[in-house]
Amino acid sequence: MRLSDEQLARFDEEGYLFFPSLFSPEELRPLVEEVPRLYAQRRVENVREKASEAVRTNFAAHLYSHPFARLARHPRMVEPVVQLFGEPVYMHQFKINGKMAFDGEVWQWHQDYGTWKADDHMPEARAMNVAIFLDDVNEFNGPLMLIPGSHVQGALDAAHDMSTTSYPLWTIDHDTIAKLVARGGIVAPKGPAGSMILFHSCLVHASTSNLSPWNRVSVYLSLCAVSNHIRRFHRPEHIAHRDFTPIACLPDDCLLREYDVPLPWKDRAPA
Ligand code: SIN
Ligand code: MN
């Protein structure tokens, strides 16, 4: 999938692109059916919420789940990022965020590059998130909030939040957020399952808790330009990958048909 000149210009200005209903219900089915099986497993790759057993985020399913291994090579998710960077990309991080009904907790305001720079020594902000909704996203189930245009600030000062949620993150102070919002406002792309958001790694984002009765499961591919691979290996491998092999895309129908994909972590011992 190639981005048009108009999309490229909008991305430069706003730092994100939204593609409603990019994937069909038939394409999503194998992914949606796989999530409960993955979340039920006791393994380090499942990070549970602070106050409940609900899975907050599942890491690296593309290395042990057949449908997600195919999604990780989907041309609709990977090719726009290759186009934007003008070079091959590798998978820096792969996560399936739960934001489960009633239990899904907040993600504080942050830039992903803040964490990748501080923790993983990623040299530049030449990495990008591509998220796909596995559930419908509405105003009640904790949609991702973005501050348009905030990516032009580069990496902002951040503090390591080790306490408010179960997953440590470098977060941005409230004064800075208020100033950025005064300039750019807040958007929260909402739409049917199968919608996709592509956003810059310096785009400031957050999400509230999910008090609704609807899950908000979304998959995030964090794709990094190969030449920009991380230099420090402090975080566990399932959170910050060390395999910098360029992703080879499968054909566009890879969620509808079986394709051979490697599953190197399939037989990993549970936690
Ligand atoms: C993230 O920022 O990595 C996740 C935010 C969310 O899923 O709401
Ligand atoms: Mn993030």
Side-chain angles (χ1 to χ4, degrees):
M1 186 174 90
R2 278 196 77 74
L3 302 174
S4 66
D5 289 347
E6 190 266 332
Q7 286 171 317
L8 291 170
R10 192 143 36 88
F11 178 81
D12 269 352
E13 192 174 321
E14 300 194 329
Y16 77 98
L17 292 170
F18 183 48
F19 306 85
S21 301
L22 187 69
F23 291 83
S24 70
E26 293 70 37
E27 291 180 301
L28 293 189
R29 192 165 303 122
L31 304 168
V32 169
E33 286 175 0
E34 178 85 336
V35 172
R37 203 184 65 76
L38 290 173
Y39 280 6
Q41 293 177 21
R42 289 282 148 188
R43 52 189 306 157
V44 288
E45 289 86 356
N46 276 333
V47 176
R48 289 166 201 280
E49 297 285 9
K50 208 172 171 175
S52 78
E53 278 292 287
V55 171
R56 175 175 181 79
T57 186
N58 163 281
F59 285 103
H62 67 304
L63 299 179
Y64 49 89
S65 154
H66 200 263
F68 286 101
R70 286 182 280 153
L71 182 70
R73 295 165 173 83
H74 203 295
R76 272 174 254 161
M77 300 197 82
V78 176
E79 281 175 356
V81 183
V82 173
Q83 182 186 352
L84 280 160
F85 290 141
E87 69 166 295
V89 296
Y90 77 94
M91 191 68 68
H92 171 59
Q93 189 175 76
F94 185 101
K95 56 191 201 283
I96 310 171
N97 282 2
K99 188 76 76 175
M100 301 305 275
F102 301 111
D103 286 323
E105 294 176 7
V106 303
W107 288 82
Q108 307 285 8
W109 287 108
H110 68 282
Q111 298 171 308
D112 282 4
Y113 182 60
T115 297
W116 300 340
K117 183 178 182 213
D119 288 345
D120 307 326
H121 291 189
M122 185 185 283
E124 287 174 49
R126 285 173 59 74
M128 190 100 51
N129 277 318
V130 195
I132 168 176
F133 303 170
L134 296 194
D135 290 304
D136 297 348
V137 174
N138 57 44
E139 64 264 55
F140 306 109
N141 62 356
L144 188 67
M145 302 188 290
L146 314 169
I147 304 180
S150 55
H151 64 300
V152 302
Q153 306 289 324
L156 295 159
D157 286 343
H160 208 194
D161 176 1
M162 307 274 280
S163 64
T164 63
T165 69
S166 61
Y167 182 69
L169 207 60
W170 289 83
T171 61
I172 298 171
D173 71 80
H174 293 173
D175 279 352
T176 306
I177 295 301
K179 286 190 190 110
L180 292 171
V181 172
R183 203 172 317 145
I186 300 177
V187 295
K190 294 171 282 290
S195 301
M196 185 176 98
I197 307 175
L198 183 157
F199 61 101
H200 194 286
S201 56
C202 288
L203 195 74
V204 178
H205 59 283
S207 61
T208 64
S209 62
N210 181 5
L211 290 178
S212 84
W214 305 297
N215 294 339
R216 195 227 66 184
V217 177
S218 303
V219 189
Y220 293 77
L221 276 60
S222 301
L223 301 167
C224 183
V226 169
S227 67
N228 192 49
H229 68 80
I230 61 168
R231 305 300 202 247
R232 186 168 82 160
F233 306 144
H234 268 202
R235 297 201 295 170
E237 203 177 342
H238 63 276
I239 295 180
H241 294 298
R242 292 130 203 216
D243 177 355
F244 311 134
T245 311
I247 297 172
C249 286
L250 291 170
D252 194 75
D253 64 356
C254 62
L255 293 173
L256 299 172
R257 297 163 53 149
E258 289 298 317
Y259 284 90
D260 246 358
V261 279
L263 295 177
W265 291 8
K266 192 162 89 41
D267 300 317
R268 262 204 170 186

